[in-house]
Amino acid sequence: MKNQSDVDSRAFELWRASEYGIAVTDFLSPGEKIEVYTELCARIGNGMQRCFFWGGCRGTERSAAVFLPEWAAPEDPPRHSMPLDTERTAFFADFLENNPAVLEEIPIVPMTVRGSGFRALGHRDFMGGILSLGVDRAVIGDIAVLSESEALVFAAERIAPFLETELTRIGRDAVICERRDIPPGFEIPRRFEEMPVTVASLRLDGMVKALIGKSREDAAAMVRQGLVELNYRECADVAKETAEGDVLSVRGYGKFAVGAVSGSTRSGRLRVLCKKYL
């Protein structure tokens, strides 16, 4: 697995190469994306206006950094906003739909993986089946489970032929993997479970306690041990204030979105409408 400095260096090399044509990284996790964005902003400043993050459609979390030459870059795009950059990504999606020649230069392929329908398959099953073939995680983007027997997978173009021929089983189920077209405006589906919680404050340790059902002491220990990410970055500060829109990941328990404060209880505790990613 490449370390972050290798990822940053490769991204900088591709930005320099984009003077002559479109250059694209492998898929980046949300955390890697933030690190690449931060590092490149420090090195190239306004040059980042020619960088867009794209995972194959609207709503993806794993994205490639796409560096456009000046002659291909759109005029007046929205400024970057981290961590998920939804406004800028939506702008770029519209741009690509109106500029198919640019889209064709981005080597990301949507693929359908379909099982027999006799076995229920989840995200972990689809991911495990792909990685068991020795595929590097960096060439696989988001995996959206569409049903108990079908998933939409975004893959780097160079690995697509291999997946089409070699991905024939997931666990004990036979599967078919093939390229597919997605319609304009398609957004990757997300499923959530509503989780209203009550907390004394929006401190990180209190939110972890409420979301995973642990004691305050256990939640604080998990934060200090580096088991918690806030907006895709490890955060060991138990007193860090969370806010609406933050994404909180707890190792072994899943990923959560912090929602709005909807009121308070008689004892003064805050009611917060959160969601758990499914």
Side-chain angles (χ1 to χ4, degrees):
M1 180 180 295
K2 296 178 180 178
N3 61 41
Q4 186 63 48
S5 62
D6 291 336
V7 173
D8 293 341
S9 297
R10 178 59 177 159
F12 181 65
E13 290 174 4
L14 289 170
W15 176 80
R16 295 179 65 180
S18 69
E19 179 181 354
Y20 307 102
I22 297 169
V24 184
T25 68
D26 282 340
F27 290 102
L28 306 171
S29 69
E32 289 172 331
K33 172 182 163 181
I34 293 170
E35 294 296 337
V36 164
Y37 167 79
T38 302
E39 175 67 19
L40 290 187
C41 277
R43 299 181 73 170
I44 64 178
N46 288 336
M48 279 299 287
Q49 281 297 90
R50 295 195 285 110
C51 173
F52 295 85
F53 292 100
W54 182 246
C57 73
R58 292 171 168 84
T60 55
E61 291 190 348
R62 290 180 61 81
S63 309
V66 179
F67 302 103
L68 301 180
E70 290 187 6
W71 49 265
E75 295 182 1
D76 299 322
R79 303 293 299 182
H80 283 280
S81 61
M82 292 288 119
L84 294 183
D85 217 3
T86 52
E87 180 185 3
R88 189 174 167 92
T89 300
F91 173 90
F92 192 50
D94 291 338
F95 172 78
L96 293 176
E97 288 170 6
N98 292 315
N99 294 271
V102 176
L103 180 60
E104 289 176 4
E105 293 296 316
I106 300 176
I108 294 175
V109 177
M111 310 188 78
T112 296
V113 182
R114 287 194 303 272
S116 66
F118 295 108
R119 295 181 183 273
L121 300 174
H123 185 278
R124 183 175 297 181
D125 300 305
F126 288 108
M127 175 65 73
I130 293 170
L131 297 186
S132 69
L133 298 174
V135 174
D136 188 337
R137 184 68 179 95
V139 300
I140 302 296
D142 277 23
I143 298 175
V145 178
L146 305 179
S147 71
E148 289 188 342
S149 61
E150 182 179 2
L152 174 64
V153 178
F154 291 93
E157 188 172 46
R158 67 181 185 275
I159 200 68
F162 176 81
L163 293 177
E164 287 177 301
T165 58
E166 299 300 324
L167 185 58
T168 58
R169 300 199 69 81
I170 292 180
R172 296 181 178 180
D173 198 18
V175 299
I176 297 173
C177 180
E178 57 189 2
R179 302 180 190 225
R180 66 168 289 180
D181 294 324
I182 55 176
F186 178 85
E187 183 168 351
I188 199 165
R190 298 285 177 199
R191 294 189 301 139
F192 301 95
E193 175 187 351
E194 297 288 340
M195 287 192 66
V197 299
T198 59
V199 292
S201 73
L202 296 177
R203 280 174 46 128
L204 182 59
D205 56 351
M207 290 300 300
V208 172
K209 169 186 179 297
L211 290 169
I212 68 172
K214 292 286 188 178
S215 69
R216 185 67 169 258
E217 294 75 18
D218 287 345
M222 294 177 71
V223 174
R224 294 191 183 99
Q225 291 167 13
L227 301 179
V228 175
E229 290 184 351
L230 181 61
N231 293 329
Y232 304 102
R233 284 177 160 173
E234 182 181 309
C235 182
D237 181 1
V238 296
K240 178 72 174 178
E241 287 285 312
T242 63
E244 181 180 356
D246 284 347
V247 176
L248 208 164
S249 302
V250 184
R251 192 177 305 171
Y253 292 88
K255 185 166 65 173
F256 308 85
V258 178
V261 176
S262 62
S264 59
T265 66
R266 291 182 179 180
S267 61
R269 293 174 64 83
L270 302 176
R271 302 182 191 274
V272 186
L273 298 174
C274 297
K275 297 185 291 186
K276 181 176 181 179
Y277 287 71
L278 298 178

